Amino acid sequence: MQLPIHTHVLANGLRLVISPDRTAPIVAVNVWYHVGSANERPGRTGFAHLFEHMLFQGSEHVAANEHFELVQRAGGTVNGSTWIERTNYYETVPSHQLALALWLEADRMGRLLPAMTQEKLDTQRDVVKNERRWSVDNQPYGTWWERLPALAFPPEHPFHHSLIGSMEDLDAALLDDVKEFFATWYTPDNAVLTIVGDVDVADAVSLASSTFGGIPRGPGRPATPSTDIAPRVGSWIRDVVEDDVMVPRVYLAFRTPPFGTPLHAAAAITTAVLGSGKGSRLHQRLVREQQLATSAVAYTFDLARGSDLLILEVTARAGVDAATLESAVAGEVDALAREGCTASDIERAVALTTTEFVTSMQSAQARADRLSQYATYLGDPALLNSQVARLDAVDADAVTQFARAWLGTDNRVSLVFVPRAGTEAVA
């Protein structure tokens, strides 16, 4: 797979990545800002995510929610998301509507503050607090995604705190915070604009230059909090949480080399060996053979600085207790390290991982998002073209060595959810 990739940097520092594809009359626009929850300061957790909501509340020439209306009226789709190290915004539109999508993104990058009001902040604060209630506080197992990083990273580390933030910190957010956050991070020299689809490269560069070129550089970003951390946890950390759930669930996490480092491909294939698909070791042993679990999956956070996390997530079958499940999950990890990865394991995992990657690249928006990711984290979007080769190069010995080096008992974090007393499901 070799995607055509063209790069260009505007005078104001905005990095352009353009990948033409004339197979369908659509174009994907994708903007990554290199700011996420890791950049939040104490007392303002959840601010990066809150700010994502604020960016859909209008800008100087766009009314609140009009961004959605204009894109959807043009036949397109639009959304945004926040993660630990970045925030992104994206549209997919008919190719003759590229100018509209770029103008909307440029208007909020360059002219957001005139439209910011206390009323909009209060409204979006309530929206985010409700999102926290339904997706975290009142969702079975919902607190895992703030509990697990809090166990894996120490309190002073920028990956430790909750991405969605606490109610207290959301309440404390001020309009001046919004203005300061925007002026600091939402600048062209802290962004990547990727355009993928039915475009001519020269036309796209010209259009992006005329739309974004007048936006001034930022005043300079503050030093990013250090993400340096010991490569391994140093012990086996465990936490057991009583929750309103019917059956136990185990999250077993490991610190692993960051996204973009040479060992990350081995982490990806090891993840697939253990928990991707019904042919994975965890599914075969724990779901099919031993019937201890109803589901078993594995994934990585793809963090690019300090340390990444590899996570196994296994949900118990009714009647199976948490200790039995946790021991069985750890036993499969130990078996991989002790006995090694087999030829059939590696053949399945590499095929599955590369197929999923190539299949995802058929979507213009997914391709744009990946190009933005490689440009933002690694400084070179063309590295995307060698991703399949990196995955293909991982062999059984590499997975075995990775498991022995990174999945040991000195590098484990267990988060175990158990039903509150009296709520266990009966087998």
Side-chain angles (χ1 to χ4, degrees):
M1 185 190 74
Q2 288 296 304
L3 301 173
I5 298 171
H6 305 267
T7 59
H8 186 83
V9 182
L10 300 187
N12 59 12
L14 178 64
R15 288 167 287 169
L16 305 182
V17 181
I18 301 167
S19 181
D21 176 1
R22 298 302 184 98
T23 57
I26 60 170
V27 63
V29 172
N30 185 293
V31 181
W32 270 45
Y33 292 94
H34 203 173
V35 59
S37 63
N39 300 98
E40 294 165 345
R41 55 188 172 89
R44 292 295 183 272
T45 62
F47 202 79
H49 177 238
L50 173 62
F51 199 82
E52 175 208 325
H53 282 247
M54 295 297 292
L55 242 69
F56 288 100
Q57 296 310 300
S59 46
E60 185 174 17
H61 303 104
V62 181
N65 296 315
E66 192 179 14
H67 194 123
F68 282 106
E69 292 178 18
L70 289 172
V71 172
Q72 290 173 358
R73 214 178 291 161
T77 58
V78 55
N79 215 331
S81 70
T82 308
W83 188 230
I84 295 170
E85 296 179 286
R86 58 85 183 148
T87 309
N88 67 353
Y89 303 88
Y90 47 91
E91 298 86 3
T92 302
V93 295
S95 49
H96 67 281
Q97 297 286 359
L98 174 61
L100 170 66
L102 294 180
W103 178 79
L104 287 168
E105 291 296 350
D107 201 60
R108 60 184 176 183
M109 179 187 288
R111 293 169 288 276
L112 182 81
L113 292 183
M116 284 295 100
T117 66
Q118 186 64 48
E119 181 182 8
K120 290 178 180 177
L121 174 60
D122 292 341
T123 299
Q124 291 310 305
R125 189 201 325 268
D126 288 342
V127 170
V128 172
K129 288 167 71 175
N130 277 334
E131 183 178 339
R132 181 187 167 89
R133 291 185 185 99
W134 69 257
S135 68
V136 179
D137 298 332
N138 298 317
Q139 187 71 227
Y141 316 104
T143 59
W144 81 269
W145 64 294
E146 56 185 9
R147 291 181 183 275
L148 195 63
L151 289 173
F153 297 101
E156 67 276 11
H157 195 276
F159 297 166
H160 172 87
H161 68 264
S162 166
L163 186 149
I164 200 165
S166 68
M167 290 294 191
E168 293 76 16
D169 286 355
L170 291 170
D171 281 334
L174 304 173
L175 191 58
D176 283 346
D177 294 327
V178 173
K179 295 176 179 176
E180 179 189 356
F181 197 82
F182 177 79
T184 302
W185 300 108
Y186 278 70
T187 61
D189 49 324
N190 193 41
V192 170
L193 166 64
T194 300
I195 302 170
V196 171
D198 182 23
V199 296
D200 175 83
V201 174
D203 290 346
V205 170
S206 175
L207 189 55
S209 299
S210 63
T211 312
F212 289 86
I215 303 172
R217 280 178 177 269
R221 299 181 297 277
T224 302
S226 173
T227 55
D228 292 346
I229 192 168
R232 294 169 183 77
V233 178
S235 62
W236 191 338
I237 298 174
R238 296 184 72 252
D239 189 20
V240 179
V241 179
E242 282 196 350
D243 199 4
D244 294 322
V245 298
M246 298 300 289
V247 295
R249 177 180 288 176
V250 171
Y251 294 88
L252 183 59
F254 314 83
R255 285 187 199 160
T256 51
F259 175 83
T261 57
L263 279 175
H264 195 264
I269 298 301
T270 303
T271 301
V273 167
L274 284 169
S276 293
K278 293 184 177 179
S280 69
R281 283 183 167 225
L282 290 175
H283 188 92
Q284 285 293 312
R285 307 288 190 276
L286 306 187
V287 177
R288 289 180 61 88
E289 296 174 11
Q290 301 177 32
Q291 300 199 5
L292 296 173
T294 56
S295 68
V297 296
Y299 42 88
T300 58
F301 269 11
D302 289 349
L303 300 170
R305 296 175 294 162
S307 173
D308 195 10
L309 286 182
L310 189 160
I311 299 166
L312 311 179
E313 176 186 323
V314 183
T315 304
R317 186 176 291 272
V320 174
D321 65 80
T324 301
L325 183 67
E326 184 184 10
S327 176
V329 174
E332 287 305 317
V333 175
D334 292 337
L336 177 62
R338 183 178 61 251
E339 300 164 8
C341 179
T342 67
S344 61
D345 279 335
I346 198 71
E347 183 178 359
R348 185 199 67 85
V350 170
L352 179 66
T353 307
T354 55
T355 299
E356 286 180 344
F357 175 79
V358 172
T359 301
S360 72
M361 291 298 98
Q362 294 180 35
S363 157
Q365 190 53 255
R367 212 179 314 157
D369 201 53
R370 281 286 193 168
L371 288 167
S372 291
Q373 179 190 34
Y374 278 68
T376 301
Y377 288 166
L378 309 180
D380 184 3
L383 288 171
L384 188 66
N385 278 334
S386 52
Q387 176 65 5
V388 170
R390 283 192 292 275
L391 296 170
D392 268 336
V394 178
D395 58 18
D397 183 59
V399 170
T400 301
Q401 295 307 318
F402 186 89
R404 291 172 180 168
W406 295 96
L407 308 187
T409 56
D410 64 338
N411 188 33
R412 293 182 182 177
V413 174
S414 287
L415 175 63
V416 181
F417 282 86
V418 299
R420 294 190 197 283
T423 62
E424 298 91 341
V426 178

